[in-house]
Amino acid sequence: MDTEKSESDSPDGISDSGSDYEVTLKSSKRRKHVREPSVKLPPKRPKRNPSLRVTSRPSNSPIPTHPDPSVQQQPPSHGTSRQVSPRPARSLNKGSQGISAKDIYDAVCSGKSAMVTVVDEWLDSYKQDREEGLLVLINFIVKSCGCGGVVSREMLDSMQNAEIISTLTKEFNEDSVRYPLCAPGPQLRHFRAGLCEFARVLVRSCQNNLIYDEFLFPSLLALLTGLSDSQVRAFRHTSTLLAMKLMTGLVEVAVVGSVRLQTTQRRYDVETRAHDRSSDRLAELQATINELRENSEELSSMMNATFRGVFVHRYRDRLPEIRAACIEELGLWLRKDPENFLNDGCLKYLGWTLHDKQSPVRLQCVRALQHLYQEKEFIGRLELFTSRFKERILSMVLDKDPDVAVEVVNLLLLIQQWTEEGLKEDECGHIYPLVYASHRGLSSAAGAFLYNKLKSVIPSENQENQKSKNAAFVQILIAFYIQSEFHDHGTYLVDSLWAVAGSELRDWETMTEMLLQDTGLMYEEEGALIELMMCAMRQAAHATPPVGRTQGKKTLSMKARKIQEQDKRRITTHFIPLLPQLLAKYSADAEKMTLLLKAPLYFQLEMYSSAKWLEKHLDLLLSQICRIIEKHTEVTVLEACAHLASTLCSDCYTFSSRVHLAFSQLLDHLTECFCTNLNDMLQGTADEGDTYCAAIALKRIAALSSAKDLTGWKLFHPCLKLLKSRIESREFNEELMVSALKCAAFHLMWAKVNVVNSKPPEEELRRLRKEVRSFCSVCQTCLALNLAEVRDQAFLQLCDLLLLYSVTSVRSEPALQALVHLPSDALRSELAAFLIDYVFTDADDAELNDEDEEEKKITNLQKKRNQLAGYCKLIVYGVLDLTAATDVFKHYSKYFKDFGDIIKETVSKTKLINPIQSAKTLCLSLQQMFSEMVIEERGKQDLSEIRDLAKRLAMSFGIDLHRVRKPLVALHMDGIRFGLRALEEGEEQHPNVAFFEILSEFSFKLLQQDRIELVAFLKSECPDAALSWPPVGLYHRSLLSRSTSRFREQEVEDDALSPPDTPVAKRKKTTAQGSVSSTTRGSWLENSSIPSSLYTPAITSTIQKQPAKQLASKKPRATESDVGSVLTELESEEEFSPGSQMRKVKPTKRLSLSSSKTVAGKEQQDLNSNLNLLSLIEDEDSEREEPEIEDYESEPDSESAYTLPSTRHTSASILDELFD
């Protein structure tokens, strides 16, 4: 479809041309004869280079004060403006009782309630004196912009719009950049809503007469067009919003007038064909038709002028709020008046804005498209738009703003439902993975899309009744879950579908029937169904989203709580009789058992004791659990059984005694099996079968020990003897030894719990302490074994027991002081060595290079994190000295990605324990690393790594420098002493002098008085010639002035704190002249970011490139009509044709440097003589580059002139892998 043709055929004649705007009014009074229904537009002028547009187009249009065309179309006057001092708005109405601009402003601020009365009162004054009424309205607009100036009658009569706006700009209050539309506070919170309501009421009140008086609205729109092109953001924002709202009102009036015209025309045609037609009646109808056509022409003229004069330039404004307002109103025009606006000439603006850099603008654009795709009759007109911009819309499902992504998914659902072609399967593949996203709103929107897609493929023969529909849906959902290959995330899939498919996912009868009866499910499908069923039970019983999707603490409403109770009751009633059958059927499958054993956790367990027939099902459940424990050896199954046993044994249930009895009998059997073979194993006469039986029995006992107190079975000493025997004989059985370690450790943990709850004699406390010492000694020996599982288990049990029997644990129980067990020096060394050898190492990961081993890498990392967390807890709770933390802090930078959060939390906790000692520990960590580097004679690369670590540790001191004064001074003094330690025999120079380079990284955190103190301390400690040594001189300069690191950090902070829409001139500028450069600056920032596994689609963007550098001196700019724009208007002939190619952003300089200097020299004196408006006017340097959209040849090797930001932010969540 040709764009030029589509625009010329539009009745409104709305054009997107970039030609200069001039307000055109009717040159004569209304004619009584019939006019042509369309308005012929002036020919388009050729597009000019933006750098040549010096004067503002709409600002040159005068505000008409008389309908005489000779007055209205006179050339603009550029005479000297009359300087008028600000005055109160009330002074304009001296001698009259009419409403003032301040009255209207107060009414707008107060709310919508008084708006109709205020508008009616203003209309009364306007009808008495229209020039005075217009003046009141103009001053109201000026006041709404936050300007203190006032437009007088003399200014209105003698000045052009550009001169009036220039005068108001000089009278603007420069003390604050705030204006009503952006000012915070309760008084002006609803100002925007009131302003919009005022515009709506004004148009509605004038729709029958004053709109067509050829004075009010043309004059008002001409002023708003001039203000919308101002450099002052307040003028531009407020006037654009008002102009867009007035335009929306005019569109509504035009639609009503069009309907009336069609109705009257039909009546005229009927009257013409009638036999008894009346000439008077025909003449009356013809006069009405003529009048309606004249009104339509006037509305078309005003709408066309507003569209071309305001919207076409401001939809690409620098300020995102202005762009968003334009796009929001455009969506209303397209929906309310599709005959005139719903064409490719207007739709292209929505397509371009999809690439906007700011998310609020993209959000308004997507919402506008949603309203269009909801209307069936609009789909045909949207075909070309859909084909042109579908690819961009699909890429926006990964938008960095989740709110935009949610609306995009909803838009794609509408496209899938209402368009003829819909979405192809590969296009739907962009949306399916989002059901596993961490953002709940986005996942729910993707779930609605998936639900609609799955329901559409259900065969018609399966839709006879609700049960068959649900069964068919469950089967299709199982197939999707298996094919999506995200089996570990069924909980997230169910949560995504819960809002739309809750009835299907709550159909427990259908699910259990499919499992218990022969319905043809494959083995893999049965496992997927059980997992989804368990996830649905969890969702119904807990009524909370899964981990990672919880958005703050949200209490359930009364209605949600009632639904939750009903669901739990239905689950319990249905599954109590069926669960034993399911456990019996799948008892041989460990994976299915692990899932099914979670079901009772979602029951209302009190129901087991509510009726006699239900107790029978409890006995069946207990017998099945005991059989499962005796049959399975997998850890996951045994842990699930132990967890369920712990829940059922709770004293809050009346049936708990029966559960205790059942598990006690099971434990008696297992203990007997273990003890029978124990003597043979201790004597070394047991065969492999006996050893295996004992190991399996002990493994099951260890699993139950985590949930049940087994101290009554007295298994500690047998397990300890077994461990000592195996260590002495060197006959290692890894499975047997791990189980023995677990049983012995759990025995000591339960013993501590029993001791705290009772008051045992002193002798028993000493005996328990002796057992703890013996077990720790055995574990210490196990740390040196070459058995990974035994070694890891011993380390974890040591960390737990040392913490449980520490001084801190008995601080509130003085009677239990005898239980305190402190680790020996040898044990401390063994723990630290384990950390260095098996946690801070990449040896294990280096062996796992295949993609199939990725899961093992994740498991291995989780194991290391648990071990490191256990060691750090010993430091934080005082079991180990703070100096032991050096083995952890040394690896903060190198292993930041894997353990950064744990180490950072440990650093912050140690600062709370002892701030000074913590700072000294940080310094000691750096000293140890430096000493290792010196001993091993490593080079500058290792020194830069130590400096990177110092930077990270320096940032841990925070921003409250007064609070960290003493710790920082202590750190620096320790560092100075270390760097200048006394020479030993054979040393010619100080070996630690280079440490001052590392110490200088902490200088920027010092206060001035501490700097002076440290300079004096440095001079007192170092030899006379030491200050000339480069490292010492570097450190000395860092104390005397701000270091490079401080400057660069401040620079980064300033850039980060500055809002994206803040003009460059307003941002704080910092220089670092004379500072010492750091070659490794910023490397740790790059290493700290978590790489994204998301696919980032290639997009075009309407961003404006920032200048590479800023000029040293401020240069005034020539006034430009499109100031602050982010886009450059596209050529209308090639904008939206089917053969048009994608566009790219190419920078073109507005003005050459020499010309800008010339302009600066001529206007500098005049500029300095006036008020400094830099706080109000968005300053753009003459060297600023503005993007110009040109034809984009989509070659694979073509590179954009801009580095586009990623459309998606990622987190460290494991869900990132879902989008790989």
Side-chain angles (χ1 to χ4, degrees):
M1 179 179 181
D2 186 65
T3 308
E4 202 168 15
K5 182 178 183 300
S6 66
E7 291 174 356
S8 60
D9 291 344
S10 173
D12 278 348
I14 293 177
S15 169
D16 61 326
S17 171
S19 60
D20 292 353
Y21 167 70
E22 296 179 359
V23 177
T24 56
L25 304 178
K26 299 292 182 285
S27 58
S28 60
K29 294 186 177 181
R30 300 181 195 170
R31 293 174 289 179
K32 299 302 181 181
H33 61 277
V34 181
R35 289 186 178 182
E36 292 296 325
S38 62
V39 179
K40 184 177 180 181
L41 293 175
K44 296 181 180 179
R45 298 183 185 179
K47 184 177 179 63
R48 295 182 295 172
N49 191 320
S51 63
L52 301 178
R53 293 199 292 259
V54 179
T55 58
S56 177
R57 293 187 298 270
S59 299
N60 292 335
S61 300
I63 298 179
T65 57
H66 196 276
D68 187 3
S70 62
V71 177
Q72 295 161 1
Q73 299 179 1
Q74 62 184 352
S77 173
H78 298 284
T80 304
S81 301
R82 181 179 303 175
Q83 185 68 27
V84 181
S85 59
R87 69 193 75 178
R90 274 292 185 185
S91 63
L92 296 174
N93 295 324
K94 287 184 178 180
S96 65
Q97 300 299 323
I99 191 170
S100 67
K102 185 177 184 305
D103 296 334
I104 303 177
Y105 180 81
D106 294 340
V108 168
C109 293
S110 65
K112 299 180 181 179
S113 56
M115 204 60 64
V116 176
T117 305
V118 171
V119 172
D120 289 343
E121 186 176 350
W122 176 83
L123 285 175
D124 292 339
S125 64
Y126 176 80
K127 291 173 183 178
Q128 296 175 5
D129 187 343
R130 65 179 190 176
E131 284 79 8
E132 196 67 31
L134 176 62
L135 191 60
V136 171
L137 196 57
I138 290 174
N139 281 292
F140 159 69
I141 295 173
V142 173
K143 189 172 182 61
S144 298
C145 295
C147 178
V150 175
V151 180
S152 64
R153 184 63 175 270
E154 294 79 7
M155 294 171 60
L156 188 63
D157 294 337
S158 61
M159 290 185 180
Q160 304 296 319
N161 276 356
E163 298 169 329
I164 293 176
I165 294 172
S166 176
T167 303
L168 293 174
T169 301
K170 295 176 182 178
E171 296 176 354
F172 213 111
N173 178 19
E174 61 173 332
D175 295 336
S176 173
V177 295
R178 296 287 185 183
Y179 54 95
L181 275 182
C182 73
Q187 296 180 352
L188 299 173
R189 187 178 302 164
H190 305 292
F191 179 80
R192 187 182 190 277
L195 191 64
C196 298
E197 176 67 8
F198 174 80
R200 188 187 68 83
V201 173
L202 178 63
V203 176
R204 188 181 61 185
S205 301
C206 301
Q207 62 181 340
N208 295 325
N209 45 22
L210 294 181
I211 282 184
Y212 313 108
D213 71 346
E214 301 180 357
F215 175 76
L216 174 60
F217 276 84
S219 305
L220 186 60
L221 292 174
L223 177 66
L224 292 175
T225 303
L227 288 172
S228 69
D229 210 38
S230 171
Q231 291 179 328
V232 180
R233 178 178 297 182
F235 282 156
R236 208 167 64 251
H237 188 184
T238 309
S239 60
T240 301
L241 178 63
L242 270 174
M244 293 297 97
K245 291 298 179 181
L246 290 176
M247 174 81 168
T248 302
L250 293 177
V251 169
E252 293 175 352
V253 174
V255 170
V256 174
S258 177
V259 173
R260 289 180 58 191
L261 178 59
Q262 295 175 7
T263 303
T264 307
Q265 185 65 51
R266 285 196 299 270
R267 291 173 60 190
Y268 179 83
D269 295 341
V270 170
E271 193 71 25
T272 303
R273 291 193 297 269
H275 295 288
D276 53 346
R277 59 178 178 266
S278 170
S279 58
D280 294 339
R281 178 61 178 165
L282 287 175
E284 182 181 351
L285 289 174
Q286 185 62 53
T288 303
I289 291 173
N290 294 342
E291 183 179 359
L292 290 174
R293 284 178 176 171
E294 289 183 5
N295 293 345
S296 177
E297 290 178 11
E298 291 190 20
L299 289 173
S300 297
S301 176
M302 288 187 288
M303 289 190 297
N304 183 46
T306 305
F307 189 88
R308 292 167 56 187
V310 180
F311 176 85
V312 168
H313 303 294
R314 297 279 68 80
Y315 88 95
R316 49 193 168 88
D317 193 273
R318 171 185 297 276
L319 195 65
E321 289 84 354
I322 295 178
R323 304 200 299 273
C326 291
I327 296 302
E328 181 182 5
E329 299 307 311
L330 177 62
L332 294 176
W333 307 338
L334 294 169
R335 194 166 80 250
K336 292 177 180 294
D337 192 4
E339 294 300 325
N340 293 327
F341 287 94
L342 192 56
N343 51 56
D344 299 333
C346 294
L347 285 171
K348 63 187 176 186
Y349 296 106
L350 292 181
W352 295 337
T353 314
L354 288 173
H355 300 274
D356 197 282
K357 185 180 178 181
Q358 298 296 325
S359 58
V361 185
R362 298 195 302 273
L363 184 63
Q364 289 297 342
C365 184
V366 174
R367 285 176 176 171
L369 290 173
Q370 285 180 0
H371 293 302
L372 297 180
Y373 280 98
Q374 285 173 353
E375 305 293 336
K376 273 189 176 182
E377 57 270 18
F378 293 170
I379 299 300
R381 303 187 185 193
L382 294 168
E383 287 182 359
L384 181 58
F385 178 88
T386 305
S387 62
R388 171 65 179 82
F389 292 102
K390 184 194 290 187
E391 182 180 355
R392 169 57 182 163
I393 295 174
L394 285 170
S395 70
M396 290 177 68
V397 298
L398 298 180
D399 195 276
K400 63 181 181 180
D401 188 338
D403 294 332
V404 177
V406 169
E407 298 300 334
V408 169
V409 173
N410 293 332
L411 173 61
L412 290 171
L413 177 58
L414 293 173
I415 294 176
Q416 167 69 19
Q417 289 177 329
W418 299 115
T419 58
E420 188 173 340
E421 296 181 359
L423 297 177
K424 300 176 184 177
E425 193 60 33
D426 60 331
E427 294 172 339
C428 295
H430 288 75
I431 307 171
Y432 292 155
L434 296 178
V435 296
Y436 302 102
S438 59
H439 189 272
R440 198 180 190 198
L442 179 58
S443 62
S444 298
F449 183 91
L450 175 62
Y451 176 78
N452 181 270
K453 186 68 176 179
L454 296 181
K455 294 286 283 186
S456 65
V457 298
I458 296 178
S460 57
E461 58 269 15
N462 292 337
Q463 299 188 12
E464 299 175 356
N465 53 59
Q466 190 62 37
K467 186 175 182 180
S468 61
K469 284 182 181 179
N470 291 352
F473 176 81
V474 171
Q475 286 182 331
I476 296 176
L477 181 61
I478 292 171
F480 170 80
Y481 183 51
I482 294 174
Q483 293 172 9
S484 64
E485 299 179 355
F486 297 126
H487 301 282
D488 296 336
H489 302 285
T491 307
Y492 295 90
L493 175 61
V494 170
D495 181 65
S496 301
L497 293 168
W498 195 251
V500 290
S503 59
E504 291 88 345
L505 294 174
R506 287 186 177 94
D507 192 354
W508 322 117
E509 293 81 4
T510 299
M511 295 182 185
T512 51
E513 184 179 337
M514 294 173 67
L515 291 171
L516 293 174
Q517 298 180 6
D518 189 9
T519 55
L521 290 177
M522 304 296 290
Y523 173 80
E524 191 177 12
E525 292 175 337
E526 287 179 339
L529 176 56
I530 291 175
E531 183 175 358
L532 291 176
M533 183 174 70
M534 289 299 107
C535 294
M537 290 174 64
R538 190 212 72 85
Q539 188 79 16
H542 292 173
T544 56
V547 176
R549 285 187 181 172
T550 306
Q551 299 175 350
K553 293 183 179 180
K554 184 178 180 182
T555 57
L556 293 177
S557 62
M558 292 297 295
K559 182 179 179 181
R561 231 177 255 151
K562 186 176 180 181
I563 294 175
Q564 179 189 10
E565 292 298 323
Q566 292 175 354
D567 287 340
K568 290 186 71 172
R569 194 176 302 111
R570 284 187 60 237
I571 290 172
T572 308
T573 306
H574 178 75
F575 279 95
I576 278 181
L578 295 181
L579 183 59
Q581 301 178 35
L582 291 171
L583 292 174
K585 181 176 180 179
Y586 298 104
S587 60
D589 193 316
E591 186 177 352
K592 295 183 177 66
M593 280 296 94
T594 304
L595 293 171
L596 288 172
L597 287 170
K598 296 178 181 178
L601 304 178
Y602 311 129
F603 290 177
Q604 287 183 341
L605 293 175
E606 301 86 354
M607 291 185 66
Y608 273 118
S609 56
S610 62
K612 291 254 183 180
W613 64 277
L614 290 176
E615 294 181 357
K616 176 185 69 173
H617 295 296
L618 176 62
D619 294 336
L620 291 174
L621 176 63
L622 293 175
S623 64
Q624 286 294 335
I625 295 173
C626 292
R627 288 194 190 119
I628 291 169
I629 293 175
E630 293 175 346
K631 181 182 295 186
H632 286 275
T633 59
E634 290 82 1
V635 176
T636 55
V637 178
L638 295 177
E639 288 178 350
C641 291
H643 188 193
L644 180 56
S646 175
T647 303
L648 295 175
C649 289
S650 176
D651 295 335
C652 62
Y653 303 121
T654 56
F655 55 79
S656 61
S657 59
R658 304 175 66 176
V659 181
H660 278 293
L661 179 62
F663 283 107
S664 297
Q665 294 174 353
L666 174 63
L667 284 168
D668 290 339
H669 172 70
L670 295 174
T671 305
E672 182 182 357
C673 180
F674 169 69
C675 294
T676 301
N677 301 307
L678 178 62
N679 290 331
D680 294 339
M681 288 189 295
L682 292 177
Q683 296 174 6
T685 59
D687 56 13
E688 292 184 2
D690 295 339
T691 304
Y692 176 78
C693 291
I696 294 302
L698 194 59
K699 185 176 184 179
R700 291 166 178 156
I701 293 172
L704 292 174
S705 297
S706 63
K708 185 174 173 60
D709 182 8
L710 303 185
T711 53
W713 278 263
K714 301 185 183 304
L715 293 172
F716 176 77
H717 290 289
C719 291
L720 197 63
K721 289 180 181 179
L722 180 62
L723 288 169
K724 290 180 178 179
S725 172
R726 290 287 168 172
I727 293 173
E728 292 173 359
S729 64
R730 311 301 291 179
E731 295 179 1
F732 300 124
N733 185 315
E734 205 163 4
E735 189 174 28
L736 181 63
M737 295 180 70
V738 168
S739 300
L741 284 170
K742 285 184 178 179
C743 281
F746 282 127
H747 176 91
L748 296 176
M749 293 176 189
W750 283 110
K752 174 66 182 299
V753 173
N754 296 333
V755 165
V756 172
N757 294 333
S758 61
K759 294 183 178 179
E762 190 72 19
E763 182 179 352
E764 184 176 348
L765 294 179
R766 286 197 297 269
R767 179 185 57 79
L768 182 57
R769 181 184 176 185
K770 184 178 179 181
E771 291 177 351
V772 173
R773 188 184 300 111
S774 301
F775 181 74
C776 289
S777 176
V778 172
C779 288
Q780 181 178 347
T781 306
C782 291
L783 290 178
L785 298 179
N786 193 23
L787 300 172
E789 290 189 18
V790 176
R791 187 175 59 231
D792 295 341
Q793 191 65 41
F795 182 84
L796 290 176
Q797 300 302 343
L798 275 173
C799 291
D800 291 338
L801 287 175
L802 289 176
L803 186 62
L804 194 61
Y805 286 89
S806 65
V807 176
T808 308
S809 64
V810 298
R811 187 170 295 166
S812 59
E813 299 286 343
L816 302 179
Q817 291 291 335
L819 286 178
V820 174
H821 173 70
L822 299 177
S824 62
D825 293 339
L827 181 56
R828 296 170 193 263
S829 301
E830 289 285 349
L831 291 173
F834 179 92
L835 209 65
I836 296 173
D837 294 339
Y838 303 109
V839 176
F840 294 117
T841 178
D842 299 324
D844 296 337
D845 294 338
E847 300 174 359
L848 304 174
N849 293 326
D850 298 334
E851 294 181 0
D852 298 337
E853 306 294 337
E854 189 65 31
E855 186 174 352
K856 292 184 180 179
K857 288 183 180 180
I858 297 174
T859 304
N860 192 31
L861 176 60
Q862 187 60 45
K863 180 187 70 175
K864 290 181 177 180
R865 287 175 60 85
N866 289 338
Q867 293 167 351
L868 178 61
Y871 186 84
C872 290
K873 282 192 292 184
L874 296 180
I875 298 172
V876 170
Y877 288 96
V879 179
L880 300 178
D881 297 334
L882 285 182
T883 54
T886 56
D887 296 316
V888 177
F889 296 161
K890 286 190 295 187
H891 301 89
Y892 186 29
S893 181
K894 184 176 180 180
Y895 293 94
F896 181 80
K897 180 180 177 182
D898 295 335
F899 312 117
D901 54 339
I902 300 175
I903 301 177
K904 182 179 180 181
E905 184 66 18
T906 305
V907 171
S908 63
K909 292 293 185 182
T910 57
K911 291 182 184 299
L912 296 177
I913 297 171
N914 190 330
I916 296 178
Q917 188 61 35
S918 174
K920 290 185 175 182
T921 303
L922 296 179
C923 186
L924 181 60
S925 303
L926 297 172
Q927 291 172 13
Q928 291 178 359
M929 292 187 68
F930 183 84
S931 298
E932 293 172 5
M933 181 192 72
V934 172
I935 293 173
E936 298 177 11
E937 297 182 354
R938 297 197 295 263
K940 293 185 177 180
Q941 182 178 359
D942 287 332
L943 181 62
S944 65
E945 292 178 0
I946 302 176
R947 291 191 67 173
D948 287 340
L949 174 61
K951 294 167 192 172
R952 284 190 182 275
L953 296 177
M955 298 305 297
S956 68
F957 284 93
I959 59 175
D960 189 358
L961 302 184
H962 291 277
R963 185 173 58 86
V964 296
R965 284 185 61 187
K966 291 182 179 180
L968 276 173
V969 171
L971 182 148
H972 278 270
M973 287 184 173
D974 279 5
I976 293 172
R977 294 190 187 101
F978 176 78
L980 297 173
R981 71 171 179 79
L983 292 175
E984 298 180 358
E985 292 186 18
E987 292 181 343
E988 298 180 358
Q989 58 182 359
H990 291 271
N992 300 338
V993 170
F995 186 77
F996 282 102
E997 294 186 28
I998 302 171
L999 193 61
S1000 64
E1001 298 294 340
F1002 294 88
S1003 298
F1004 74 95
K1005 291 286 185 180
L1006 292 168
L1007 295 179
Q1008 188 61 35
Q1009 52 267 44
D1010 296 331
R1011 292 170 184 266
I1012 298 173
E1013 178 184 349
L1014 287 173
V1015 168
F1017 180 77
L1018 175 65
K1019 292 180 178 179
S1020 64
E1021 291 287 326
C1022 67
D1024 296 336
L1027 291 179
S1028 62
W1029 300 342
V1032 180
L1034 171 65
Y1035 177 66
H1036 185 240
R1037 288 193 300 272
S1038 71
L1039 294 177
L1040 294 178
S1041 61
R1042 294 183 179 271
S1043 65
T1044 304
S1045 58
R1046 175 56 178 167
F1047 275 106
R1048 295 197 176 181
E1049 182 199 3
Q1050 184 65 40
E1051 207 168 324
V1052 171
E1053 289 178 358
D1054 288 344
D1055 291 342
L1057 294 175
S1058 299
D1061 56 332
T1062 303
V1064 179
K1066 294 183 184 179
R1067 299 187 184 177
K1068 184 178 180 180
K1069 298 182 180 181
T1070 58
T1071 57
Q1073 298 177 357
S1075 61
V1076 181
S1077 62
S1078 176
T1079 58
T1080 59
R1081 179 71 53 188
S1083 61
W1084 65 271
L1085 286 174
E1086 297 171 0
N1087 295 335
S1088 66
S1089 62
I1090 299 174
S1092 170
S1093 59
L1094 289 178
Y1095 164 72
T1096 303
I1099 62 171
T1100 57
S1101 177
T1102 56
I1103 63 173
Q1104 183 169 7
K1105 183 178 178 182
Q1106 296 296 332
K1109 61 180 181 178
Q1110 299 184 14
L1111 298 181
S1113 60
K1114 298 290 182 180
K1115 297 180 178 62
R1117 295 172 296 126
T1119 306
E1120 300 181 30
S1121 59
D1122 56 349
V1123 59
S1125 66
V1126 178
L1127 292 172
T1128 303
E1129 185 180 359
L1130 306 183
E1131 295 290 349
S1132 59
E1133 289 79 4
E1134 300 178 1
E1135 284 155 346
F1136 200 62
S1137 60
S1140 64
Q1141 297 167 326
M1142 294 179 65
R1143 319 243 178 222
K1144 74 174 181 178
V1145 182
K1146 181 179 179 182
T1148 57
K1149 294 186 178 181
R1150 288 185 179 180
L1151 294 174
S1152 65
L1153 183 62
S1154 59
S1155 62
S1156 63
K1157 289 181 178 179
T1158 303
V1159 174
K1162 293 180 179 180
E1163 298 183 1
Q1164 188 68 42
Q1165 184 177 0
D1166 180 63
L1167 179 66
N1168 293 335
S1169 63
N1170 294 306
L1171 295 175
N1172 183 7
L1173 301 179
L1174 290 179
S1175 61
L1176 303 175
I1177 300 177
E1178 297 178 13
D1179 187 17
E1180 294 182 4
D1181 298 325
S1182 58
E1183 288 257 322
R1184 176 154 310 212
E1185 296 176 347
E1186 182 182 71
E1188 180 177 331
I1189 299 178
E1190 297 181 351
D1191 290 339
Y1192 174 71
E1193 299 294 334
S1194 55
E1195 299 177 1
D1197 58 344
S1198 61
E1199 297 181 358
S1200 173
Y1202 296 89
T1203 302
L1204 299 179
S1206 173
T1207 59
R1208 185 83 180 161
H1209 287 325
T1210 60
S1211 65
S1213 173
I1214 195 173
L1215 289 179
D1216 289 350
E1217 301 297 332
L1218 302 179
F1219 302 95
D1220 190 359

